Amino acid sequence: MNRTILHSDLNGFYASVECFSNPSIRNVPVIVGGDEEMRHGIVLAKNDIAKKFGMVTGEAVWQAKRKCPGLVSVRPDFNKYLKFSRLAREIYERYTDQVESFGVDEVWADVSGSIGLFGNGKMIADEIRATIKKELGITASIGVSFNKIFSKLGSDMKKPDVTTLVTKDNYKDTAWRLPVSDLLYVGSATQKKLHNRNINTIGQLANMDVKHLVSLLGKWDVVLHNFANGFDNQPVKKKGVEAFIKSVGNSSTLHRDIFTVEDVKRVFYMLSESVATRLREHGLKATTIQIHVRDNELSSCERQAQLLFPTYLTSEIAEKVLDIYLRKYQYRNPIRSLGVRACNLVAKDVTYQLDLFTDHTQRERLESLEESIDNLRQRFGYSIVQRGILYEDGKLTSINPKDDHTIHPINYFEGAIEKDLAKDIAIDYTFKRSG
């Protein structure tokens, strides 16, 4: 069956929402960036005027201001962005019940069954763009294709506020001429490997003999080769089918470099509280804990370990985090940022094998206690109950887990490839998206 799939990308989303919400900044260069004093000062988004000054997503705010002295920097308001994201989704759902989010500002929509009602894919995409502009005051670029990979390529090709078609008749003339790095999940590491074999465009990748790629990328070569040739049959999830949560994590760039185990412990407790709160909210427990450490020379490492029992207890997560840090991290330089992630999640009521050396009755009491604290915070605010360790240095432990968190949905390839391969892909893609 021929499919018609749209990929919609809301242009300069954060900055567009801020400019719509505040008319006084619509005609000046605007970026959305973090807190420079807390060293979160990177550019998250920029409007079209700021782009003309060479602003780059991910660069430091001070660098952006040097390029444009009159630059307006706005702090992010994620609740506002989530509201606009939901409103945009409501527009997509007027045309199909197959709408799948890919981040807060991107979705795929399968409109194959709607063509008889609304016209062809381009007509539907154009109508959606016009509706988003009229009702939300922002713009979207939409790619229209016969699969998810090429539709995303299309939405990235021309911006802002453009519909781009990548069809079975023209994909060799459109997609194949693009840099191989434009292909979904070709991150910097994969791009470098391909470049070393003189594979620089999507077309060159598509025309390579798969056997010659095996030694270069292993199992991953077949997936990328298929993507490049348009062989992507992954469906767009239907409305109401929630993505399985793969992990819940939080990280913080610290307002100062830290040196001591005491400071590390404070930050890890704050992050563990954030992660545990979100696990309980979603009815999940972690079986694996991962830490991320970045020093003041921007060298990073990740380490992880399994838990004895599934948990959403802050104390158990924090103790495991600190244990991983002390046993597996080789301290060399002062630390700039720390992160905690709960992985391999299971339902909170999952059964597990008890042992003779753990007081499981006490664990149940602690679970009831933390759930009661969640209820108090829901009624009176997060700060109504705090752990004593978090008061020892307020600047180091300032995250609110209700507002500052990251939830990682299941990989794009859900069930299509081995878990270890999916993990490698996710890591590679993280670097691509952030760089």
Side-chain angles (χ1 to χ4, degrees):
M1 173 183 173
N2 290 328
R3 298 192 297 167
T4 301
I5 296 179
L6 314 183
H7 182 274
S8 177
D9 186 353
L10 301 174
N11 303 133
F13 181 50
Y14 296 172
S16 296
V17 170
E18 295 296 345
C19 290
F20 175 78
S21 303
N22 183 359
S24 67
I25 63 173
R26 290 180 186 176
N27 298 317
V28 299
V30 175
I31 60 168
V32 176
D35 186 342
E36 294 179 83
E37 292 184 3
M38 295 295 290
R39 302 201 304 179
H40 302 161
I42 64 170
V43 176
L44 301 176
K46 61 274 184 192
N47 67 357
D48 290 335
I49 301 174
K51 289 178 184 179
K52 296 177 181 178
F53 290 87
M55 307 298 171
V56 179
T57 300
E59 73 177 327
V61 172
W62 66 265
Q63 292 175 310
K65 289 182 176 179
R66 180 175 292 180
K67 295 177 180 178
C68 178
L71 185 67
V72 175
S73 179
V74 181
R75 293 285 296 279
D77 183 346
F78 294 105
N79 288 331
K80 187 190 300 181
Y81 309 146
L82 288 172
K83 175 185 176 182
F84 273 75
S85 179
R86 287 192 294 267
L87 292 172
R89 187 182 179 94
E90 290 174 4
I91 294 173
Y92 306 133
E93 289 176 352
R94 297 174 191 175
Y95 299 86
T96 177
D97 64 349
Q98 287 183 262
V99 179
E100 178 182 345
S101 297
F102 193 60
V104 70
D105 58 343
E106 299 182 41
V107 302
W108 280 289
D110 189 334
V111 296
S112 306
S114 306
I115 291 176
L117 294 173
F118 302 107
N120 61 36
K122 184 179 185 307
M123 294 171 65
I124 295 173
D126 288 342
E127 191 169 315
I128 288 174
R129 286 194 300 106
T131 303
I132 288 174
K133 184 185 295 186
K134 178 181 178 181
E135 297 185 9
L136 305 185
I138 60 178
T139 63
S141 293
I142 300 180
V144 183
S145 191
F146 54 96
N147 64 45
K148 292 169 73 174
I149 297 298
F150 280 174
S151 64
K152 175 159 175 56
L153 269 178
S155 69
D156 289 337
M157 285 173 64
K158 297 179 181 178
K159 297 179 182 292
D161 198 21
V162 180
T163 298
T164 302
L165 274 63
V166 182
T167 68
K168 291 182 178 179
D169 295 326
N170 75 1
Y171 75 88
K172 293 183 180 180
D173 295 325
T174 54
W176 278 14
R177 62 181 176 81
L178 298 174
V180 70
S181 57
D182 285 359
L183 195 63
L184 186 61
Y185 288 113
V186 175
S188 57
T190 301
Q191 180 187 5
K192 184 176 180 180
K193 291 178 181 178
L194 293 172
H195 177 73
N196 289 339
R197 294 291 184 93
N198 199 32
I199 303 173
N200 299 307
T201 67
I202 295 175
Q204 289 173 330
L205 175 62
N207 289 308
M208 281 291 295
D209 188 334
V210 177
K211 294 179 180 178
H212 294 157
L213 290 173
V214 172
S215 60
L216 183 64
L217 302 175
K219 301 173 184 178
W220 186 218
D221 70 298
V222 178
V223 179
L224 286 182
H225 190 266
N226 285 343
F227 281 179
N229 281 286
F231 304 144
D232 170 36
N233 297 317
Q234 287 293 310
V236 177
K237 295 182 181 67
K238 287 189 176 182
K239 178 183 178 182
V241 178
E242 298 298 329
F244 178 80
I245 296 175
K246 182 179 178 182
S247 63
V248 175
N250 208 333
S251 63
S252 178
T253 299
L254 309 174
H255 78 285
R256 61 177 172 85
D257 295 339
I258 59 177
F259 304 83
T260 67
V261 173
E262 288 76 15
D263 277 344
V264 170
K265 183 177 180 180
R266 293 181 187 111
V267 176
F268 272 147
Y269 252 94
M270 176 265 294
L271 295 172
S272 297
E273 181 100 73
S274 167
V275 170
T277 300
R278 285 289 162 179
L279 288 174
R280 293 191 295 272
E281 181 176 300
H282 291 278
L284 298 169
K285 290 183 176 180
T287 63
T288 302
I289 297 298
Q290 182 183 86
I291 69 169
H292 174 88
V293 183
R294 174 174 292 175
D295 65 26
N296 63 349
E297 294 183 357
L298 303 185
S299 176
S300 302
C301 80
E302 291 185 349
R303 299 290 185 268
Q304 66 180 36
Q306 287 188 318
L307 293 158
L308 288 176
F309 311 105
T311 189
Y312 54 34
L313 291 174
T314 297
S315 58
E316 291 185 344
I317 293 173
E319 289 167 8
K320 175 57 70 173
V321 163
L322 194 61
D323 176 65
I324 297 170
Y325 173 82
L326 293 174
R327 288 191 301 108
K328 297 187 176 184
Y329 178 68
Q330 300 298 317
Y331 178 87
R332 294 187 182 88
N333 299 309
I335 294 170
R336 177 182 174 86
S337 68
L338 292 170
V340 173
R341 181 179 296 182
C343 310
N344 297 329
L345 308 182
V346 296
K348 70 174 183 178
D349 55 357
V350 67
T351 57
Y352 59 90
Q353 182 66 47
L354 303 182
D355 68 358
L356 299 175
F357 307 104
T358 303
D359 188 345
H360 291 281
T361 301
Q362 177 64 13
R363 293 187 76 240
E364 291 179 358
R365 293 194 187 103
L366 289 174
E367 289 181 353
S368 296
L369 174 62
E370 296 214 6
E371 289 171 357
S372 297
I373 291 173
D374 289 340
N375 291 334
L376 284 172
R377 287 171 170 169
Q378 186 174 4
R379 292 182 63 188
F380 302 110
Y382 174 70
S383 61
I384 192 68
V385 180
Q386 291 285 326
R387 296 177 184 272
I389 192 173
L390 302 186
Y391 284 107
E392 294 177 353
D393 189 329
K395 287 188 175 181
L396 277 182
T397 56
S398 58
I399 280 183
N400 178 345
K402 292 294 294 180
D403 300 322
D404 306 320
H405 67 280
T406 306
I407 295 178
H408 304 270
I410 196 167
N411 193 278
Y412 171 84
F413 300 94
E414 185 175 359
I417 54 180
E418 291 81 358
K419 288 184 179 179
D420 58 338
L421 180 57
K423 180 180 177 183
D424 291 340
I425 295 166
I427 291 172
D428 196 16
Y429 184 57
T430 298
F431 285 110
K432 179 183 178 184
R433 294 284 287 180
S434 65

